[in-house]
Amino acid sequence: MFSRLKALFGIFFYLSTVTLGGGLAMLSGMRDEFVAKRKWLTDEEMVDTVAAMQSMPGIIACNMGALLGYRVAGFPGALVSILGAMLPPFLAIMLLSSAVSWLRQFAVVSHIFLGVRAAIAATILWASVGLGKKILSTPERRARIFSWSVAVGSFGALSFFGVNAILVLVIAAILGWLLFWRNGVAKEEKP
């Protein structure tokens, strides 16, 4: 059992270290390790595991670690696989944040980060505006007015009144349901 746990940790640590692009980029290496090399799983079991992993919320590499580790060595296998998948990015982030903290003492680097932060804010705003245009441009006039009203009201509640974002989402969902119910759509859909 210990040899399997050690192998699981090593596989996930190695793949997480050398694979760029996240969990899905790790699939080829995992198939090589779990199916071809070690014969711990069949191709069908690997496909089933990947399908289950993709339907779960969360970080793909950790989901794969949990599912594949559990299939191979139970709960301890899931734990060591998740640890192996998480450790390389954690160490990289710690190293990078230490380097950034050290580099910030130089005036030129502070100015570089000022520019980068401004560009990131613009990128987020651009993505939000693009999504907003698609979401708020529904063809039906009533739905469009409703969507804009909820968007403006939500923005105001968040920006000027400090309302919790989760509460805003819950209220918006209730308003959407009330509109659905008021228009009689719910009555029409009943069999």
Side-chain angles (χ1 to χ4, degrees), residues 11-12 14-32 46 50 53-54 59-61 64:
I11 291 166
F12 279 94
Y14 171 75
L15 290 174
S16 185
T17 302
V18 301
T19 307
L20 300 176
L24 291 176
M26 300 168 79
L27 279 178
S28 175
M30 288 188 187
R31 189 204 168 274
D32 289 345
M46 185 73 180
V50 170
M53 173 269 310
Q54 286 184 309
I59 301 168
I60 292 173
M64 290 177 76

Side-chain angles (χ1 to χ4, degrees), residues 115-140:
V116 169
R117 285 194 306 267
I120 288 171
T123 302
I124 293 169
L125 181 61
W126 177 73
S128 298
V129 168
L131 283 172
K133 282 181 184 178
K134 288 182 181 174
I135 293 168
L136 299 174
S137 64
T138 58
E140 185 189 345

Side-chain angles (χ1 to χ4, degrees), residues 15-155:
L15 290 174
S16 185
T17 302
V18 301
T19 307
L20 300 176
L24 291 176
M26 300 168 79
L27 279 178
S28 175
M30 288 188 187
R31 189 204 168 274
D32 289 345
E33 287 289 338
F34 286 89
V35 177
K37 183 178 176 184
R38 301 178 193 275
K39 309 235 185 286
W40 285 343
L41 300 171
T42 65
D43 274 321
E44 292 79 21
E45 290 172 325
M46 185 73 180
V47 168
D48 291 345
T49 302
V50 170
M53 173 269 310
Q54 286 184 309
S55 67
M56 296 169 46
I59 301 168
I60 292 173
C62 290
N63 291 348
M64 290 177 76
L67 290 169
L68 291 171
Y70 186 80
R71 286 194 92 151
V72 171
F75 187 72
L79 288 179
V80 298
S81 297
I82 292 170
L83 182 63
M86 289 177 50
L87 202 53
F90 174 77
L91 294 173
I93 289 169
M94 294 300 292
L95 182 65
L96 185 62
S97 67
S98 297
V100 167
S101 296
W102 179 76
L103 288 171
R104 283 186 165 222
Q105 67 182 329
F106 302 107
V108 69
V109 175
S110 290
H111 287 89
I112 289 170
F113 281 119
L114 179 66
V116 169
R117 285 194 306 267
I120 288 171
T123 302
I124 293 169
L125 181 61
W126 177 73
S128 298
V129 168
L131 283 172
K133 282 181 184 178
K134 288 182 181 174
I135 293 168
L136 299 174
S137 64
T138 58
E140 185 189 345
R141 185 175 185 274
R142 289 169 93 191
R144 191 169 50 250
I145 291 170
F146 172 78
S147 297
W148 274 97
S149 300
V150 170
V152 170
S154 297
F155 181 78

